[in-house]
Structures are given as structure tokens and as C-alpha cells.
Amino acid sequence: MSDLRITEAFLYMDYLCFRALCCKGPPPARPEYDLVCIGLTGSGKTSLLSELCSESPENVVSTTGADNIRKYWSRYYQGSQGVIFVLDSASSEDDLETARNELHSALQHPQLCTLPFLILANHQDKPAARSVQEIKKYFELEPLARGKRWILQPCSLDDVDTLKDSFSQLINLLEEKDHEAVRM
């Protein structure tokens, strides 16, 4: 365990002790959200999620036959509260076009169209990576996602802090939706 993680663990333990002594109870439970994570083969879905969970990305094996299971993605949509769409920003033009079509389908799907989207432009560490502005323009996100809640963020396995920040932004969108539901 790294020194930073040990420090974070001790700070959290101190926080728990402080809450128990001063606030008469454990900290409030963190809300849990059901998210669906989709993207083309090789976009880095499993690697990014493994990195977030502090698992070694070297042990990640790409999903076999992933192109064949894309037609079944919608089976996982029911009950989702948010969507993570991972795209390979350094992919070929053909793959980028396929990713664009899949994202457009997801943004318009009846079970997903009202949910917040976190769109991760992965592989930003590769020389051929397209910028967030290029992706936003190519994917036509401004007109397509107008009125929807979405975040487009660059990411790579080399920058875990940006990845964590992206998920924090998604959680903020999810919490905003929770507060809206309470007000209604």
C-alpha cells in the first residue's frame, strides 16, 4: 500500500473516530448508484475501472467477442441511474464512427435518454489521440445532447486523478438528480 493510501486510510479512521465520539454515530452511508459502462472493444472500459479499484491493469483480459455482444447492451440498461461511455480517442476513423453511432443510440435510447452521461475519451496518452474539442465536434455532442446532463472528459491510465475527478463530476450529476426527485 502506498504512503498516500495509508495516510488516507488513517485520516478516514480518524474521521470515523471523530464522528463516533462527537456526533454520536457512524458517518452517513454513501449513496450507491447503478451505472452501465459501455464502449467498443479496446476502448479501455475494464482497464479504467480496474485502475479506479486499484487493481493491476496488467491482469485485464479484453472481452472476447465483444463486437457480437453489442446488440445485447440494452439488456443492461434497465434500472441504470447513469451511463459511462468509454471511447478510444486514438482509434481508427472507422472505429470512431462506430463509437459515435453507438453513443448517439445510447443518448436517444428510451431507458437512457434522461440519465447523466460520463463520456471518457480514453487513451489520451497515445500520439494519435484526438482532443476533447475534436471529439465533441466529431460526435456532434452539443446539438445532440442539448438539454441532457453529460460530461466529456479526457483520460488515460497514466492520469488516475483526472479519472477520479471525472467520476466525482458524474456523482455530482447523480446527486443533483436525487435532489430534484425529492423536490418534485
Side-chain angles (χ1 to χ4, degrees):
M1 189 181 275
S2 72
D3 292 340
L4 178 62
R5 296 192 67 197
I6 292 171
T7 303
E8 289 174 354
F10 281 116
L11 288 174
Y12 187 68
M13 287 173 40
D14 287 345
Y15 170 75
L16 290 176
C17 291
F18 173 79
R19 292 243 348 135
L21 292 172
C22 298
C23 302
K24 306 286 189 227
R30 290 181 176 173
E32 292 185 6
Y33 297 102
D34 290 321
L35 305 172
V36 63
C37 183
I38 54 178
L40 301 186
T41 302
S43 62
K45 300 174 295 294
T46 305
S47 297
L48 290 174
L49 294 175
S50 295
E51 187 69 32
L52 272 176
C53 297
S54 301
E55 295 176 6
S56 175
E58 287 94 38
N59 298 331
V60 173
V61 178
S62 189
T63 308
T64 55
D67 290 334
N68 297 331
I69 64 171
R70 198 177 316 141
K71 60 187 169 197
Y72 301 111
W73 283 1
S74 61
R75 293 185 182 191
Y76 299 96
Y77 294 170
Q78 187 172 0
S80 295
Q81 296 168 284
V83 180
I84 302 160
F85 189 92
V86 182
L87 63 96
D88 180 355
S89 62
S91 67
S92 70
E93 290 293 325
D94 288 343
D95 285 346
L96 204 63
E97 179 66 23
T98 302
R100 178 184 144 178
N101 292 336
E102 293 298 338
L103 179 59
H104 283 209
S105 293
L107 282 164
Q108 296 171 344
H109 192 280
Q111 290 178 305
L112 303 180
C113 65
T114 61
L115 303 180
F117 273 71
L118 170 58
I119 305 162
L120 295 173
N122 195 16
H123 299 142
Q124 288 292 309
D125 53 330
K126 293 185 178 179
R130 292 158 183 89
S131 71
V132 168
Q133 289 304 325
E134 290 172 300
I135 289 170
K136 188 186 293 185
K137 183 177 179 180
Y138 182 80
F139 278 64
E140 300 172 323
L141 287 174
E142 292 290 342
L144 179 70
R146 184 170 286 122
K148 299 180 188 310
R149 293 167 304 133
W150 57 277
I151 304 161
L152 171 61
Q153 288 285 75
C155 70
S156 72
L157 288 176
D158 295 341
D159 190 359
V160 179
D161 290 336
T162 299
L163 187 60
K164 288 180 179 178
D165 180 59
S166 300
F167 275 81
S168 293
Q169 291 181 48
L170 177 60
I171 290 168
N172 288 340
L173 286 179
L174 291 163
E175 288 174 345
E176 286 174 14
K177 185 173 175 111
D178 285 350
H179 293 309
E180 288 173 11
V182 170
R183 284 185 287 212
M184 293 181 174

